[in-house]
Amino acid sequence: MIALVGGVIMIIQYFVPHRISQDVFNYYTSWGPIVATFALILGVGSVTRVHMYKIRMKSTNWAYSLAVILPMFLMPVFALLPGSLLGGTDGPGFFDFMYSRVQIPIQATMFSMLAFYIASAAFRAFRAKSLLATVLLVAAVFVMLAQVPIGDLAGRWLPNTGQWILRFPNLAAKRAIELGVGFGMLATSLKIIFGVERGWLGGAGE
Amino acid sequence: MNFWEKMLNIDRRWIYLAIAIIVIVPFFARMGLPVVPTREVESIYNLVDSLGPEDAIFVGWDFDPGTEAENQPMGVAVLRHAFSRHVPVFITAYYPLGQALAQQAVGGIFDTRVPGNYAFVPWTEWESMRAAGFAGRDSLETAWTAAGHALPEGARGWVFEGVDYAFLGYQPSFYLVILGMGTSIASQYPTDTNGNPVPEMPILQAHKTLRDVDLAVTLAGSTTCMTWVIYGTSRVGLRVAFGVTAVMATDYFPYIQSGQIVGMMGGLRGAAEYEVLETQGGYTDVTGKAYRGMDVQSLAHIAIILMVVLGNIAFFAGGFNKKTALKARR
C-alpha cells in the first residue's frame, strides 16, 4: 500500500507544476536521504547477521566473512583515532592511511588484473570460427586501434573506421537494447506500484 | 603434440609476463605518439571553454578506486580548465570513496610546489575581505594581492574557496540529492566537506539551483552517470557530459546522438584528448598522466591484437577448427 500510494503520488506530481505539488516533491527529497541513511543501518545489520552466522557455523570459506566483518567495524573506529598516532599532530589520521595505502591499491590492483586476463582470453578464445565471429573480431580490432594513438600511424582511415563502428552500427544496436530494457523497466515499475509484483517484499517461494 | 598445439597450450604465465613487460617498458622509454581529439571530447572542451566566472559547472566524482586510472585524469583535466578560466566548480561524489579521490585530485592541483598548479585560499582565510563586502571575483583577487599575498612561483592563479570552488562531497541516495538540487542546492548541502556554510558562499548565491548551472561532468565507472541524465537533464534541463571508462563508452553513444549528453570522454584516451586540447589552448604547459598512459595503452592493444592473430593462425593452421576439442590446458 505504501509503495502504491508513494509511487502514484510521485508519478502525478511529475506532471503537475502547482506549488502544492512542488512542496510534496521537496518534502519527499528532503526525507529521502534521511530514510536512506537509516536503511544503511539496516543493511549493516543484515550483512553482519549473515556473516556472523557463517563464522559461528564455520561454514565453507568462513574466513572471508571475517575479512568482511573486521574492516567494516574497524574502519569507523580508525576514523575516530587522531592523526597524532601516525607521528603528526594535524596530519591525516589512521583512517586516511588505511584508505589511501590499503583500500585504493587493493581496488586498483583488482581492476588492473583484467588486462592480464583479457590478453590470455584473447589468445585462447577469440576465434574466427564463423562469419559472425569474424565480423566481431574484425570490428574489435578496428575499435581497439581507434582507441590508441598508434592506430593513427597507419593513417586517419583506421581510427575513422573504428569511430564509425562506434557511432553507427554500435549506436543502432545499443539503442535497440536500451529501448527493450526501458520498456521492461516501465512494465516492472508499474507492476510493483500496483502490487502485481511483490517479490521485493521478501518471502519468495513461500 | 604438434607445434600448433603446443603454441595454443602455452602456459598462460608467459602471456602474463609479456603483458607485464609491455606495460612497464613505455614508462621508461617514452614514445610520445600524437593524440587526435575526437568530436565527443571537443564538444565538452568547447563548452567549458565558452564559460566564465559568471557561470558554474558540477564535477561529479562518481567512481571508486577501481577505475581511478581512467577517471581521475579526466577530473583533473576538467578542473584545471575550469580554474584557468575562473569558472566556478561544485564538486560532488556519488560514493564515499569518490569523495576521497576528489580530495586527492584537488590536493594535487593545489600543491604549489609543482609548477603549473593553483594556489588555494580556504574560506576562512579571506573572511576579513568578505566582511568588507564581496564585490566580485576580480576585486577579491585585487584585494587579496594588495593585502600582501604573493602568488607562489610557478603557480597559474588563485582558487578562492566559496567563489571559484565548493567541495560539496558525498551524500547518501545521490539520485535524491540531484532531484533536490533541482530546487535548491543549499537544501541538500547546508555545509561543505570542511564544515563551511554553503548558503553563505558567493558561488551558491549566484547559482542557487541546478537550473543556474551550465554543465555537470560526471566521471563514472558504472551506470551512476545516468543518474545525472535521468534526474538532472530530463527534469531541469541540466547539460551533462560523461567521463566514463573505455568499456562503458560504447553504451552511451545513443545519448550523444539524441542530445541528452553534451559529449563523452571515453577511457584514458578521452582524458588524454582533453589534456591535448588544454595544452593546445594554453591552459597547461605540459600534458598530464593520461597522455603519458597512451604509450602503454598503445602497446598493450597491439599486443592483444597480435595474440588474437597468433591464436587464430595456430587454431586454423593446426586444423583445430575441424577437431572437437584441444587437449587439456594449464
Side-chain angles (χ1 to χ4, degrees):
Chain A
M1 181 55 79
I2 293 171
L4 171 69
V5 173
V8 170
I9 285 175
M10 289 311 286
I11 290 173
I12 294 169
Q13 175 288 133
Y14 190 85
F15 297 101
V16 181
H18 193 271
R19 206 178 129 256
I20 294 172
S21 168
Q22 281 304 306
D23 286 345
V24 168
F25 172 73
N26 290 339
Y27 198 67
Y28 173 73
T29 53
S30 302
W31 269 97
I34 298 167
V35 174
T37 307
F38 280 95
L40 196 68
I41 298 168
L42 200 69
V44 169
S46 177
V47 169
T48 307
R49 201 179 60 172
V50 168
H51 287 281
M52 285 305 288
Y53 178 77
K54 282 186 178 178
I55 293 167
R56 264 203 317 273
M57 301 308 288
K58 292 275 194 297
S59 53
T60 318
N61 296 325
W62 66 272
Y64 295 139
S65 294
L66 208 59
V68 172
I69 294 289
L70 282 179
M72 193 168 78
F73 286 99
L74 283 178
M75 283 299 272
V77 175
F78 293 154
L80 299 172
L81 298 177
S84 56
L85 283 182
L86 286 179
T89 50
D90 56 353
F94 197 61
F95 178 86
D96 293 319
F97 175 82
M98 290 296 289
Y99 174 73
S100 59
R101 298 287 184 268
V102 178
Q103 188 162 7
I104 288 180
I106 284 174
Q107 285 205 359
T109 304
M110 289 296 291
F111 201 73
S112 305
M113 283 163 69
L114 272 179
F116 296 91
Y117 293 136
I118 286 171
S120 178
F123 180 71
R124 291 171 185 281
F126 211 170
R127 303 272 186 261
K129 284 180 182 172
S130 64
L131 179 66
L132 284 177
T134 310
V135 170
L136 183 68
L137 199 150
V138 172
V141 168
F142 274 108
V143 171
M144 281 181 75
L145 287 174
Q147 292 300 311
V148 288
I150 209 162
D152 291 351
L153 296 180
R156 285 300 302 164
W157 67 273
L158 205 153
N160 285 347
T161 308
Q163 290 296 328
W164 181 85
I165 290 169
L166 287 173
R167 285 171 187 157
F168 296 99
N170 164 69
L171 184 148
K174 288 289 179 190
R175 177 154 290 154
I177 294 167
E178 292 280 334
L179 273 172
V181 172
F183 282 123
M185 284 170 65
L186 181 68
T188 308
S189 301
L190 287 174
K191 280 166 78 177
I192 290 172
I193 288 170
F194 292 110
V196 179
E197 171 67 54
R198 295 175 195 170
W200 59 278
L201 287 169
E206 286 175 13
Chain B
M1 195 182 280
N2 63 24
F3 171 76
W4 299 116
E5 195 155 9
K6 276 183 188 169
M7 189 172 161
L8 286 176
N9 277 321
I10 188 173
D11 190 330
R12 69 185 63 184
R13 284 173 293 188
W14 289 110
I15 297 172
Y16 296 163
L17 180 66
I19 289 292
I21 292 168
I22 286 163
V23 165
I24 292 168
V25 167
F27 282 109
F28 300 102
R30 295 269 165 81
M31 295 156 70
L33 295 165
V35 173
V36 181
T38 55
R39 64 175 185 237
E40 286 82 9
V41 177
E42 275 178 338
S43 55
I44 305 173
Y45 176 85
N46 290 339
L47 179 52
V48 177
D49 212 46
S50 67
L51 303 176
E54 69 284 358
D55 305 303
I57 66 169
F58 265 72
V59 182
W61 249 260
D62 304 329
F63 60 96
D64 59 21
T67 60
E68 182 194 359
E70 288 184 278
N71 290 129
Q72 190 85 327
M74 298 171 186
V76 170
V78 173
L79 283 186
R80 283 187 183 282
H81 193 192
F83 290 153
S84 292
R85 297 194 53 77
H86 302 310
V87 179
V89 180
F90 292 97
I91 293 179
T92 56
Y94 201 100
Y95 303 113
L97 297 177
Q99 177 175 314
L101 289 167
Q103 278 168 333
Q104 285 187 353
V106 294
I109 294 172
F110 296 152
D111 182 359
T112 50
R113 291 171 300 179
V114 179
N117 278 344
Y118 292 83
F120 176 59
V121 184
W123 171 256
T124 47
E125 283 191 22
W126 60 281
E127 192 173 6
S128 56
M129 282 152 204
R130 210 161 47 243
F134 176 77
R137 194 199 178 281
D138 290 342
S139 54
L140 171 62
E141 186 166 331
T142 307
W144 180 255
T145 47
H149 300 284
L151 196 64
E153 195 179 346
R156 290 188 75 94
W158 300 101
V159 172
F160 293 94
E161 188 176 24
V163 177
D164 297 320
Y165 153 90
F167 198 122
L168 302 180
Y170 164 77
Q171 287 277 25
S173 299
F174 198 72
Y175 69 99
L176 287 173
V177 174
I178 297 174
L179 273 173
M181 288 195 295
T183 46
S184 167
I185 295 171
S187 70
Q188 302 302 311
Y189 287 99
T191 59
D192 68 3
T193 51
N194 296 319
N196 301 315
V198 169
E200 291 176 24
M201 292 181 172
I203 185 175
L204 200 97
Q205 283 162 10
H207 310 97
K208 288 186 167 58
T209 75
L210 281 186
R211 293 173 201 275
D212 307 321
V213 172
D214 300 89
L215 173 70
V217 183
T218 165
L219 314 168
S222 65
T223 53
T224 49
C225 52
M226 282 307 298
T227 315
W228 286 95
V229 175
I230 295 168
Y231 301 106
T233 306
S234 62
R235 190 158 180 103
V236 296
L238 175 70
R239 283 186 289 191
V240 174
F242 283 2
V244 294
T245 57
V247 290
M248 292 168 58
T250 54
D251 290 345
Y252 299 116
F253 277 88
Y255 297 92
I256 299 175
Q257 196 210 28
S258 63
Q260 285 167 290
I261 60 173
V262 175
M264 175 169 65
M265 290 178 274
L268 198 65
R269 163 88 189 212
E273 289 175 22
Y274 206 100
E275 287 177 359
V276 166
L277 287 167
E278 266 181 329
T279 310
Q280 288 171 352
Y283 297 115
T284 52
D285 296 326
V286 289
T287 46
K289 275 185 179 176
Y291 182 80
R292 288 200 294 276
M294 290 320 294
D295 287 352
V296 177
Q297 207 166 51
S298 287
L299 290 184
H301 280 208
I302 292 291
I304 289 173
I305 289 167
L306 275 177
M307 284 176 192
V308 171
V309 172
L310 285 174
N312 276 280
I313 289 172
F315 186 74
F316 288 102
F320 298 110
N321 53 325
K322 294 167 190 161
K323 294 179 184 173
T324 50
L326 280 167
K327 289 180 183 170
R329 300 166 184 164
R330 284 194 70 182

